[in-house]
Amino acid sequence: MNTQDDLDELMICRLDSGRKTVQPCSIVIFGASGDLTARKLVPALYHLFKERQLPPLFRVVGFARRDKTDAAWRAELREALGRFSRTQPVDESAWAQFAANLCYCRGDLTDSAACARLRQTLDAFGQPELRRNLLFYLAISPSQVGLAVEQLHRAGLLEREPSTGWQRVVVEKPFGHDLLSAQALNTGLTRFAHEQQVYRIDHYLGKETVQNILMFRFSNALFERVWNRDAVDHIQLTVSERQGVGSRAAYYEEVGALRDMVQNHLLQVLALVAMEPPVSLEAEAIRDEKVKLLKCVRLIFPEQGARHVVRGQYTAGTVAGRPQAGYRDEPGVRPDSSVETFVALKLFVDNWRWSGVPFYLRTGKCLPVSASEVRIQFRPTPHVLFAAACGPKLDCNSLTLRLQPDEGISLRINGKIPGASVGVRPVRMHFSYNAEFGAYTPEAYERLLLDALAGDATLFIRRDEVEAAWTIADALRAGWAGKPLTDAEFYPAGTWGPPAANELLARAGHAWRNPQPTR
Ligand code: BG6
């Protein structure tokens, strides 16, 4: 007889070989002295190397303006690994083997000789594959992206139709600051590279729990049947952060929460939660459905703004027992800044499946907990049996997809309170990643880098997706652009945003369910 464990083994259904095939290649990081390289990219490559996911033959070339030797760059990265690696202590022997493949190339993108030097560096490796297959990772400001691809093209390193091998460009967000600038950025990028060579990163798509949204929806008939306006009352999506802007004020002052989080991460999660089943699991099929969904999001025009959009900015307060300065007092922030650190939205998806169902989205800094979750709130029962005693107190079923931390899925149902008397209260059925799969938590960047190296674009954002998302964000922003914050738009750090965020839901008889702190 099979035990439960045997059954679980028998039921594993693999949709791929379990390993990505990556050909020998060179990875060139532009912005090699930056925070992202030290904090995310190199730790991710180190882990891929340790897990033997990188090909036996590879090089990582750091390209940046500062003058430094290979040894100095490696030493910097080793120090950063000690702080940022998800596994500690660092495996010195694995690091030494990995670091032997790292080298540094000094260069300024405005100098046309710089990419020629990069080319010489790649030629000097003396291995045809290291020169043929090239991944360019642009961890640089969006204003330099067009120039970078142009210089690469001039140096003969980036062709739309490479005669042999492959050449890919990975681009970090922000992809512009509105639709027009995104279009200009995309045009600059695709002057010298095909759209198929461009990999736009949204690190939320690299999270296991975000990828699981599609698996969960489309491999469980039970839930997909109720995933529509007939059964769903409304949907809440919360991405809350306890941290303030910290040392990123200069960047944040230019973007604010809507452009930093909603235009990309929240709309991507919304698209995965609400999209139609794709015709296959191929990258283009999934991306087609996401774009279709984004195009169905009703645009909110300025005159409707007040009923659909709430912005806020944190003032001094206490977060997790620690005092927190107000946003305007953070170093690098203008003392009269009206940049939003919080946004709450009520959106509608105008298609057959979701007609009339509100989607509430919110995100903010200096909120009480750091957590990301999606809550599907189902409609109430007809109240025939319990109406007299319970009335509206009878809880409606809900399903919470907890994206981070405490990754898992909870179904809230009602159950009888044990005992002679008759009482009902909500109880939870819970799936925890940790309990089920153990604490296997690769960083989003590991998965995304591996996919870009293997040429799998499923988890990257296509040009039309970015532009559809900007169309939504631009319409939302138009309502407040140029208007200073009013007193009612401030919230003390450590609270769930300004009161208007609650009123946004209360008008429809709804209420936010706040994520609980990590247990
Ligand atoms: C980034 C934003 O894209 O995402 C940051 O620029 C934000 O402001 C971060 O803090 C949140 O990512 P995560 O993975 O910590 O939820």
Side-chain angles (χ1 to χ4, degrees):
M1 206 174 81
N2 286 318
T3 65
Q4 181 60 42
D5 283 352
D6 290 339
L7 276 178
D8 291 348
E9 279 303 314
L10 289 174
M11 300 309 290
I12 291 176
C13 163
R14 290 218 173 269
L15 303 175
D16 59 18
S17 65
R19 276 196 93 73
K20 303 257 172 190
T21 308
V22 181
Q23 290 152 345
C25 60
S26 295
I27 302 160
V28 182
I29 304 177
F30 284 82
S33 299
D35 199 46
L36 187 77
T37 304
R39 210 178 253 276
K40 298 285 183 191
L41 302 182
V42 169
L45 289 169
Y46 157 79
H47 281 109
L48 291 175
F49 174 80
K50 258 187 84 178
E51 284 153 19
R52 301 187 190 286
Q53 307 255 30
L54 291 185
L57 186 59
F58 76 96
R59 293 286 186 281
V60 180
V61 184
F63 183 97
R65 266 190 306 220
R66 280 178 226 161
D67 202 7
K68 61 183 96 156
T69 59
D70 292 350
W73 191 49
R74 289 175 192 164
E76 256 173 43
L77 296 173
R78 169 62 190 83
E79 187 276 325
L81 197 65
R83 283 183 293 142
F84 302 123
S85 168
R86 69 175 164 84
T87 55
Q88 296 289 354
V90 173
D91 177 338
E92 294 300 345
S93 142
W95 167 256
Q97 290 169 42
F98 170 73
N101 297 289
L102 301 178
C103 66
Y104 186 81
C105 177
R106 192 191 71 77
D108 181 340
L109 280 173
T110 55
D111 167 14
S112 52
C115 281
R117 269 204 309 281
L118 173 63
R119 183 190 171 132
Q120 282 162 13
T121 306
L122 296 171
D123 288 341
F125 293 148
Q127 305 268 5
E129 295 99 318
L130 296 179
R131 175 66 183 74
R132 204 163 43 217
N133 298 327
L134 303 171
L135 185 89
F136 300 108
Y137 198 110
L138 306 187
I140 51 180
S141 104
S143 60
Q144 292 188 303
V145 164
L147 182 60
V149 289
E150 181 168 353
Q151 298 286 35
L152 285 170
H153 175 73
R154 284 185 197 286
L157 293 172
L158 180 62
E159 303 289 340
R160 288 169 71 89
E161 310 280 348
S163 48
T164 55
W166 48 260
Q167 296 159 0
R168 298 181 192 132
V169 182
V170 182
V171 198
E172 267 293 331
K173 79 175 245 275
F175 311 116
H177 55 269
D178 58 10
L179 177 61
L180 282 181
S181 57
Q183 285 170 331
L185 184 71
N186 284 330
T187 305
L189 259 172
T190 48
R191 257 173 79 206
F192 301 107
H194 265 301
E195 174 62 27
Q196 288 81 344
Q197 293 170 277
V198 178
Y199 289 67
R200 294 178 194 79
I201 284 222
D202 182 316
H203 79 278
Y204 261 62
L205 298 184
K207 294 182 192 272
E208 281 290 336
T209 45
V210 174
Q211 291 164 42
N212 188 44
I213 296 174
L214 289 193
M215 297 297 153
F216 176 78
R217 284 190 53 195
F218 300 125
S219 66
N220 292 298
L222 182 62
F223 294 107
E224 189 50 21
R225 299 239 160 98
V226 291
W227 214 262
N228 56 47
R229 66 176 189 284
D230 296 333
V232 174
D233 185 66
H234 70 274
I235 292 183
Q236 300 186 8
L237 166 51
T238 298
V239 175
S240 62
E241 294 184 281
R242 273 206 323 218
Q243 305 86 318
V245 286
S247 57
R248 296 172 71 229
Y251 158 77
Y252 205 80
E253 276 284 277
E254 296 303 313
V255 289
L258 184 75
R259 295 196 277 211
D260 184 41
M261 298 293 287
V262 177
Q263 186 275 340
N264 36 73
H265 309 324
L266 274 84
L267 288 180
Q268 282 296 319
V269 173
L270 169 75
L272 292 171
V273 168
M275 69 186 231
E276 294 301 312
V279 291
S280 74
L281 290 176
E282 298 292 312
E284 294 316 319
I286 293 177
R287 300 197 300 178
D288 285 347
E289 291 306 331
K290 285 200 288 163
V291 176
K292 255 170 64 186
L293 189 283
L294 291 174
K295 287 187 173 167
C296 291
V297 173
R298 190 186 305 165
L299 299 183
I300 305 298
F301 291 104
E303 55 282 10
Q304 308 158 313
R307 297 190 65 78
H308 290 264
V309 190
V310 174
R311 65 173 171 169
Q313 188 190 89
Y314 63 85
T315 55
T318 306
V319 185
R322 295 219 187 101
Q324 165 69 47
Y327 178 71
R328 288 179 171 181
D329 296 322
E330 300 269 23
V333 172
R334 281 167 291 144
D336 60 348
S337 171
S338 279
V339 165
E340 79 287 359
T341 60
F342 176 93
V343 206
L345 309 169
K346 178 179 182 178
L347 296 178
F348 286 96
V349 174
D350 286 332
N351 65 9
W352 193 272
R353 184 188 287 263
W354 296 116
S355 177
V357 176
F359 285 74
Y360 298 108
L361 278 59
R362 68 176 163 169
T363 184
K365 304 260 183 217
C366 286
L367 301 186
V369 295
S370 285
S372 302
E373 63 182 44
V374 181
R375 187 184 176 94
I376 318 294
Q377 185 71 50
F378 293 100
R379 290 188 184 282
T381 58
H383 280 193
V384 176
L385 295 176
F386 300 97
C390 306
K393 274 176 67 189
L394 186 67
D395 197 58
C396 299
N397 298 149
S398 64
L399 184 80
T400 301
L401 311 180
R402 176 99 169 183
L403 306 180
Q404 65 184 24
D406 280 351
E407 291 80 359
I409 299 180
S410 290
L411 180 64
R412 220 168 126 108
I413 51 178
N414 290 306
K416 179 181 176 302
I417 302 167
S421 72
V422 182
V424 181
R425 79 156 170 82
V427 294
R428 277 189 333 155
M429 288 168 72
H430 186 62
F431 147 60
S432 145
Y433 272 75
N434 221 341
E436 203 70 30
F437 298 119
Y440 168 72
T441 46
E443 285 263 345
Y445 275 94
E446 290 171 37
R447 173 65 197 269
L448 294 172
L449 274 164
L450 187 61
D451 280 9
L453 288 167
D456 181 350
T458 312
L459 302 178
F460 296 84
I461 320 273
R462 211 167 57 186
R463 175 181 187 151
D464 49 356
E465 268 182 87
V466 171
E467 295 181 3
W470 274 120
T471 306
I472 300 169
D474 283 358
L476 291 165
R477 248 177 59 79
W480 76 56
K483 291 192 195 146
L485 290 166
T486 62
D487 289 351
E489 291 178 309
F490 291 94
Y491 61 97
T495 65
W496 284 104
N502 292 334
E503 289 150 22
L504 187 73
L505 276 71
R507 280 197 293 275
H510 298 145
W512 290 109
R513 292 291 181 104
N514 296 327
Q516 296 306 304
T518 309
R519 284 178 294 279

